[in-house]
Amino acid sequence: MTADASTGSEPAHDAVPLGPESLTWQYFGQLAGFAGGSVLQLLQLMHPVLGHAVEDHSTVRSDPFDRLIRSMGPIYGVVYDGPHAARTATQVRSYHERIKGVLPDGQRYSGLNPEVYHWAHATFVHGLVYGFSELCGPFTRAEQEQLYAESRQWYALYGMTMRNVPETLDEFDAYWERYVDEVLEATTASQWLLDIFARPPQPPGFEWIPTPLWRLIRIPGAHAALVFTAGLMPPTARERLGLRYGVVRRLEFQVLRHVVRTAVRLTPRRFRYHPRPLAGWKREAASRATTVSRLIRQSEQSAKQPRSSGTAAAAAHTPRL
């Protein structure tokens, strides 16, 4: 792993935004993904460079919800903004231009270092391919491969080099395991974030709740967050963070996963999505003179059509989470 301040930018003129026909549109923007959102944040901050950069440049300690609120809308936009997706991707990338500094060992770092930038993206990809398979699936291996191919199309919009991006899902799986085993560590930032999950402060809009009452309300929510974190976290990373995952917690995870799956099935399609992705569905539905729910159903039916006779019926594959 390198941490130097070099960047690897390339023109994104040929990058094509994803649309409603993609599997990524169906799943990435669903609110169910927030059940595993803690895992993505922790895995990002376990990267020694990214974790240090967040400590240097983020207000996350004084405002734990700021980074999540600021980043998720634009990241959703790179997928769901249609004709404006490339512009949104440029904006997201520009946020990282000012992120520069020096690590404790004297190495310089940059938020546009290709290896570090791609790791942050990789956590979203892994969550989409495997996390959503746990929460909304299971997905077949063919569906997982399609989601990964679409993630490369999505990443190309950032204009970063594609030379360090695995070409296939099998290659991505190998890259992921190597990174988890050899690169990630229990950084100060990741340990602090884990403490926040255990004792979350009042989020924006809920300051009116008296503090003693909030401390009671947060107990079941914090416990559920820790259960999902332990259940979806790669075992090696889980051990480094000291997360318990014994028999009881495994059972709790299975129960909560079933609750999420059931909630998704029972929720009308248009209400499953975060507002930014839903705006994309509304835009596309209006352009096709149809409703959001009908367009989502059409997209689901289209995605069920086999794309190749050799892979369409492949069994679901779940590498080490």
Side-chain angles (χ1 to χ4, degrees):
M1 180 195 69
T2 59
D4 61 74
S6 62
T7 63
S9 60
E10 293 179 350
H13 304 307
D14 297 331
V16 179
L18 296 170
E21 294 75 18
S22 66
L23 273 179
T24 300
W25 262 57
Q26 290 181 36
Y27 292 105
F28 184 60
Q30 290 196 25
L31 294 169
F34 282 91
S38 57
V39 176
L40 309 187
Q41 295 179 72
L42 279 171
L43 290 172
Q44 289 177 14
L45 296 190
M46 288 183 76
H47 190 294
V49 178
L50 208 161
H52 189 82
V54 166
E55 285 196 83
D56 280 353
H57 296 275
S58 176
T59 60
V60 68
R61 283 188 178 273
S62 59
D63 187 355
F65 297 98
D66 178 62
R67 183 170 181 259
L68 178 63
I69 293 172
R70 279 189 299 106
S71 61
M72 282 312 301
I75 290 171
Y76 279 138
V78 180
V79 173
Y80 291 95
D81 279 1
H84 304 298
R87 184 176 65 190
T88 303
T90 300
Q91 292 173 346
V92 171
R93 182 179 142 179
S94 70
Y95 299 154
H96 297 78
E97 291 176 355
R98 65 176 181 82
I99 300 177
K100 298 177 182 179
V102 180
L103 297 173
D105 63 3
Q107 288 191 78
R108 296 171 59 229
Y109 69 82
S110 165
L112 291 180
N113 176 285
E115 185 178 347
V116 179
Y117 196 96
H118 178 256
W119 172 250
H121 175 74
T123 63
F124 288 105
V125 174
H126 195 275
L128 173 63
V129 174
Y130 296 115
F132 271 98
S133 186
E134 288 278 343
L135 298 174
C136 301
F139 300 153
T140 66
R141 186 60 173 176
E143 289 170 331
Q144 292 171 339
E145 289 171 344
Q146 180 182 339
L147 285 167
Y148 182 71
E150 291 171 359
S151 78
R152 283 176 50 86
Q153 182 178 340
W154 153 25
Y155 188 70
L157 290 167
Y158 289 117
M160 298 293 290
T161 179
M162 297 294 290
R163 291 190 294 272
N164 64 317
V165 181
E167 293 190 5
T168 68
L169 182 54
D170 286 341
E171 291 175 359
F172 176 81
D173 290 342
Y175 154 85
W176 180 268
E177 292 204 7
R178 179 184 67 81
Y179 238 76
V180 170
D181 289 344
E182 301 176 10
V183 177
L184 301 190
E185 59 188 50
T187 63
T188 300
S190 65
Q191 293 282 13
W192 176 85
L193 187 60
L194 195 58
D195 289 340
I196 288 295
F197 293 154
R199 291 175 293 276
Q202 291 167 255
F206 290 85
E207 296 88 350
W208 56 270
I209 299 177
T211 300
L213 179 58
W214 171 254
R215 288 174 178 168
L216 290 175
I217 293 174
R218 74 183 182 183
I219 292 174
H223 184 73
L226 289 174
V227 169
F228 272 118
T229 300
L232 294 172
M233 182 71 70
T236 301
R238 186 168 62 220
E239 291 170 8
R240 287 176 185 161
L241 290 175
L243 285 169
R244 294 185 297 105
Y245 197 55
V247 175
V248 174
R249 187 146 289 188
R250 290 172 189 270
L251 178 60
E252 290 177 323
F253 174 71
Q254 296 302 328
V255 171
L256 287 175
R257 182 177 63 171
H258 179 72
V259 169
V260 171
R261 286 184 175 180
T262 301
V264 170
R265 286 196 300 269
L266 295 178
T267 301
R269 286 173 173 82
R270 65 175 291 130
F271 298 116
R272 296 176 186 175
Y273 293 88
H274 179 279
R276 185 74 172 256
L278 182 59
W281 282 109
K282 288 179 177 178
R283 184 192 64 248
E284 291 298 320
S287 71
R288 304 174 193 211
T290 187
T291 66
V292 170
S293 296
R294 186 174 294 118
L295 179 59
I296 295 174
R297 284 196 298 270
Q298 291 171 351
S299 177
E300 292 171 348
Q301 292 167 359
S302 174
K304 291 179 181 178
Q305 300 302 315
R307 294 177 178 260
S308 67
S309 58
T311 60
H317 170 72
T318 304
R320 195 173 44 157
L321 284 173

